[in-house]
Amino acid sequence: MTTEAPRHTMTGSAHADQLLEMYRRMRRIRRFEERASELYKATEIPGFLHLSIGQEASAVGTCWPLGARDGITSTHRGHGHVLAKGLDSASMMAELMGKEAGTCHGRGGSMHIADPGLGIYGANGIVGAGLPIATGVATAAKLRAAGDVVVAFFGDGAVAQGMFHEAVNLAAVWDLPVVFLCENNHYSEFSPAAEQHRAPLSARAAGYGIGYAHVDGNDVLAVAGLMTDVVGRLRAGGGPVLVEAETYRWHGHYEGDPERYRSPEEVAAAKERDPLLVARRHLASAGVEAAQADAVDEEIDKEIEAAVQWARSLPEPAPESLYDFVSAPRPAVPEPAPADGEIFRSMDAVRLALEHELTADPTVFVAGIDVGAGGNVFGLTRGLAQAFPGRVRDTPISESAILGTAVGAAMAGMKPVVEIMYMDFIGVCLDMLLNQAAKLRFMTGGRASMPLVVRTQFGAGRSSGSQHSQSLEALLAHIPGLTVVMPSNPADTYGLLRAAIQDPNPVVFVENRLQYGFKGPKPPVGHMIPLGKAKVVREGTDITLVSWSRMVQDALAAAELLAAEGVSVEVIDLRTIAPLDRETVLASLAKTNRLVIAHEAVRDFGVGAELAALAVDEGFWHLDAPVTRVAPPAMPAPYAPSLERLWLPSSDTIAETLRRIAAV
């Protein structure tokens, strides 16, 4: 049941030393932001800059009761949050200037500062994106049961994002130790909040069944007092709370904003409630002399100026470091011996791989729609929820929250394996792959760890229609930082999934649902297959045929047909789409001098086109015939079986192409 916390205020009875420290932290934020504004105008800070002048009290008061293990996620206006959580001003200033010694080695800049070691899980350039990430950090905290809490800072504009709804709802359903802290500065970029929302946050909290509290965000004592109570309840096992801190930003949405949407008189009136002046009045009430506060001002001015001078003296990142931090070093995994055990199915391989990793590593957990009690829509995870209580978790139908949970939990030291029921639904949560999972390690200069797996499945051929039949690997492979894996048989499914879970990088693991019943020899328990390494699954001398996933079986069948006609076809199973094993493909092309690519994804702009470009670029002098692709035409998958059969390649259409290329 939702309860609304009363407005919470504190008096000068707070210890003077604590109050002076609160003032010091607020003054640090204010002076940092003022100097950043000046440096931006002087072109010493490149890129976008969003300042939090006027919002210092909400940042400091919120972080006041947090410990080193507690976490925060932030926004594009996040300097104050990360300074309040303990990040040093010097490395931050260097980061804003794009220097190698910056917090994120100059890879993130103003909007992407993070240090998970301090519980800072990232400022974020995407409005609302920190909210589902915070649910992931809170999930890790709950699984560890160490009493840690998480604060997700967001602005009033983020309430309009679907990620807000998904994150808060998931946190409520899972009863997570997270505070959703809205800094309501009354403007969503240029638009007044009244024009953006019709329901107040108190009503929204009631709708989610979570607690709500309102506080004067310009009064650091009020914020700190309220948050001390809220955090204490969460440490004792309480569920999520939505806190609204009313405040005001003095500068525009970004530096350079002409601010035509509000009057100078409005800004001047807001400055009468300057959080630093409010804090000074509290200091006076507590018996702290003005000279002590003045001394703090002088101390902070010197600190920030020293930070500026230090940052100015530093070098920019070296040219040879351009590719650093895109992916974590991948552990070497030798190619295993072929499987020769009893016959089992691809669906068994998925369950056994998950079971093995859940047993071996307590940081692994599985989450997704109906993966727990329901055992997955295809029965792949049946029995795992009972075998691993709390670690195989059902989620609402909230793909962005599912992916965000994986991102946050990975940064917090877990190894999440989350399921997106159909590959087509990747579009619903693409931001969490495109802008979060794939980029956070790079943007944080390697500070963010991202060992997560996204399991999904696809497969045309059973009249599933245009929204349940898409093969979207080219879209995912085009995102730097993502690893994309597509196995073609049961043994590879087992070995590649285990390798993906143990890998330090974000991996999208794509199964073909038409292969769940496909049978093959079972490998030994320790079986693992190296990521990023293709395999020659049939030796040949006349034509190289490259494929992946279920179509490898059609390729093998076509090669068998051509063998009866005297044409020797070498079949390569890519297994991993990104990173692409160029060496294996080029080595085969050098032997056969002909290349055909077969895939289930539509022909235009696909992985086949990338392989064709590779052959023309690096293998040109080996080519004795045109590089040819066998793939569906660029149109949605038909529903009618007759049209779908016409649209989708088969072993026969692959064989026809092989014959044509062999004759060239």
Side-chain angles (χ1 to χ4, degrees):
M1 182 175 181
T2 300
T3 58
E4 182 171 336
R7 294 175 183 262
H8 195 114
T9 59
M10 292 180 64
T11 67
S13 61
H15 194 279
D17 289 344
Q18 290 183 313
L19 184 52
L20 198 61
E21 178 58 28
M22 290 182 190
Y23 179 77
R24 176 179 288 104
R25 296 181 187 184
M26 293 169 62
R27 178 65 186 174
R28 178 177 291 117
I29 296 169
R30 174 68 59 86
R31 191 59 188 145
F32 184 96
E33 299 287 62
E34 288 173 346
R35 287 298 281 129
S37 178
E38 294 163 4
L39 293 165
Y40 179 82
K41 290 171 184 173
T43 69
E44 291 189 68
I45 291 178
F48 297 115
L49 193 67
H50 306 79
L51 301 182
S52 61
I53 295 175
Q55 301 182 190
E56 297 87 354
S58 59
V60 171
T62 295
C63 292
W64 185 254
L66 301 182
R69 288 205 320 257
D70 297 319
I72 67 167
T73 60
S74 183
T75 70
H76 57 276
R77 200 179 310 284
H79 301 163
H81 307 147
V82 298
L83 285 168
K85 187 61 170 67
L87 198 60
D88 70 287
S89 56
S91 69
M92 271 189 64
M93 191 63 75
E95 182 62 30
L96 265 60
M97 291 187 181
K99 300 303 181 69
E100 174 63 34
T103 308
C104 302
H105 298 290
R107 269 64 172 185
S110 171
M111 290 190 287
H112 308 115
I113 292 174
D115 187 347
L118 294 175
I120 299 167
Y121 293 96
N124 211 295
I126 307 299
V127 173
L131 297 165
I133 292 173
T135 65
V137 180
T139 299
K142 183 160 187 173
L143 289 172
R144 292 192 179 106
D148 302 337
V149 303
V150 183
V151 174
F153 286 99
F154 66 102
D156 49 282
V159 177
Q161 285 279 356
M163 286 185 285
F164 168 82
H165 163 73
E166 293 192 23
V168 177
N169 186 60
L170 179 62
V173 170
W174 282 4
D175 206 28
L176 296 177
V178 59
V179 181
F180 296 101
L181 195 292
C182 177
E183 290 181 305
N184 185 354
N185 62 25
H186 300 284
Y187 281 94
S188 301
E189 298 191 359
F190 302 162
S191 301
E195 297 178 2
Q196 299 288 301
H197 317 289
R198 287 294 178 264
L201 283 175
S202 56
R204 295 177 186 274
Y208 295 115
I210 65 173
Y212 168 82
H214 179 280
V215 68
D216 179 356
N218 285 357
D219 186 338
V220 70
L221 282 182
V223 179
L226 172 66
M227 285 300 296
T228 297
D229 290 348
V230 169
V231 168
R233 290 201 298 271
L234 263 64
R235 293 200 200 284
V241 178
L242 198 161
V243 174
E244 182 175 12
E246 280 203 70
T247 183
Y248 195 88
R249 58 170 163 84
W250 292 10
H251 282 221
H253 169 58
Y254 57 88
E255 290 302 280
D257 177 0
E259 297 188 71
R260 296 189 180 94
Y261 49 89
R262 62 183 184 180
S263 68
E265 292 77 18
E266 178 184 313
V267 177
K271 289 182 178 181
E272 294 177 5
R273 286 285 296 163
D274 181 347
L276 271 70
L277 294 180
V278 173
R280 277 205 172 228
R281 287 196 287 270
H282 284 308
L283 283 168
S285 298
V288 178
E289 295 183 0
Q292 289 180 266
D294 292 343
V296 168
D297 291 351
E298 184 178 351
E299 168 199 334
I300 293 300
D301 288 350
K302 290 179 179 177
E303 174 192 321
I304 300 302
E305 197 55 39
V308 171
Q309 297 306 323
W310 178 74
R312 279 174 171 159
S313 72
L314 298 171
E316 295 179 337
E320 59 268 22
S321 72
L322 175 63
Y323 298 101
D324 290 356
F325 312 119
V326 175
S327 297
R330 182 159 275 143
V333 175
E335 183 69 35
D340 59 1
E342 64 186 78
I343 299 301
F344 79 145
R345 301 168 298 177
S346 290
M347 63 187 301
D348 303 321
V350 172
R351 182 181 57 79
L352 290 171
L354 293 173
E355 183 178 54
H356 186 285
E357 296 306 310
L358 284 163
T359 301
D361 189 345
T363 67
V364 174
F365 73 92
V366 175
I369 301 163
D370 294 326
V371 301
N376 168 275
V377 67
F378 299 103
L380 305 180
T381 58
R382 195 166 292 152
L384 292 181
Q386 293 73 31
F388 303 95
R391 293 173 58 204
V392 180
R393 306 175 70 86
D394 283 323
T395 69
I397 303 176
S398 303
E399 284 82 4
S400 289
I402 294 168
L403 259 295
T405 295
V407 170
M411 280 199 286
M414 306 297 283
K415 291 182 180 176
V417 182
V418 297
E419 179 180 304
I420 299 300
M421 190 178 288
Y422 284 82
M423 194 179 193
D424 313 71
F425 304 165
I426 288 289
V428 180
C429 55
L430 187 58
D431 173 71
M432 282 293 149
L433 284 173
L434 170 68
N435 287 316
Q436 312 303 328
K439 292 184 174 66
L440 278 173
R441 186 176 194 277
F442 178 78
M443 292 191 303
T444 62
R447 288 181 181 268
S449 179
M450 204 57 59
L452 66 87
V453 175
V454 180
R455 279 189 51 254
T456 190
Q457 54 78 29
F458 79 110
R462 295 286 175 84
S463 293
S464 297
S466 300
Q467 292 180 344
H468 287 73
S469 301
Q470 297 169 92
S471 186
L472 301 173
E473 64 270 21
L475 184 153
L476 298 172
H478 193 67
I479 302 172
L482 284 187
T483 295
V484 183
V485 177
M486 300 181 74
S488 68
N489 61 70
D492 281 5
T493 298
Y494 177 85
L496 287 167
L497 182 52
R498 285 197 58 226
I501 296 171
Q502 293 186 27
D503 197 76
N505 297 291
V507 179
V508 182
F509 192 89
V510 186
E511 302 146 15
N512 190 299
R513 64 177 172 273
L514 273 64
Q515 282 199 301
Y516 282 143
F518 184 66
K519 296 177 180 179
K522 184 178 181 180
V525 172
H527 189 77
M528 288 228 303
I529 292 175
L531 301 182
K533 185 65 178 173
K535 184 177 182 180
V536 176
V537 292
R538 181 187 175 105
E539 298 279 353
T541 57
D542 297 331
I543 303 175
T544 296
L545 174 57
V546 181
S547 192
W548 52 94
S549 191
R550 185 177 69 93
M551 199 151 284
V552 169
Q553 306 308 324
D554 289 326
L556 288 168
E560 189 68 25
L561 290 173
L562 269 290
E565 301 169 18
V567 178
S568 176
V569 178
E570 180 151 293
V571 180
I572 296 176
D573 181 356
L574 281 186
R575 303 193 298 193
T576 300
I577 308 304
L580 183 63
D581 184 355
R582 292 169 167 82
E583 292 77 14
T584 296
V585 175
L586 289 171
S588 179
L589 177 60
K591 179 170 61 171
T592 67
N593 308 118
R594 288 170 168 80
L595 178 62
V596 173
I597 306 123
H599 55 75
E600 190 168 317
V602 296
R603 183 176 185 270
D604 293 11
F605 307 102
V607 178
E610 180 65 26
L611 288 164
L614 172 68
V616 172
D617 183 14
E618 298 183 39
F620 179 78
W621 300 110
H622 298 302
L623 288 171
D624 288 342
V627 179
T628 306
R629 292 166 290 166
V630 184
M635 56 171 284
Y639 170 76
S642 58
L643 295 178
E644 189 176 36
R645 284 192 298 270
L646 188 64
W647 174 79
L648 190 65
S650 66
S651 58
D652 289 336
T653 53
I654 296 172
E656 289 172 10
T657 302
L658 291 170
R659 292 186 188 100
R660 177 167 59 83
I661 296 302
V664 173

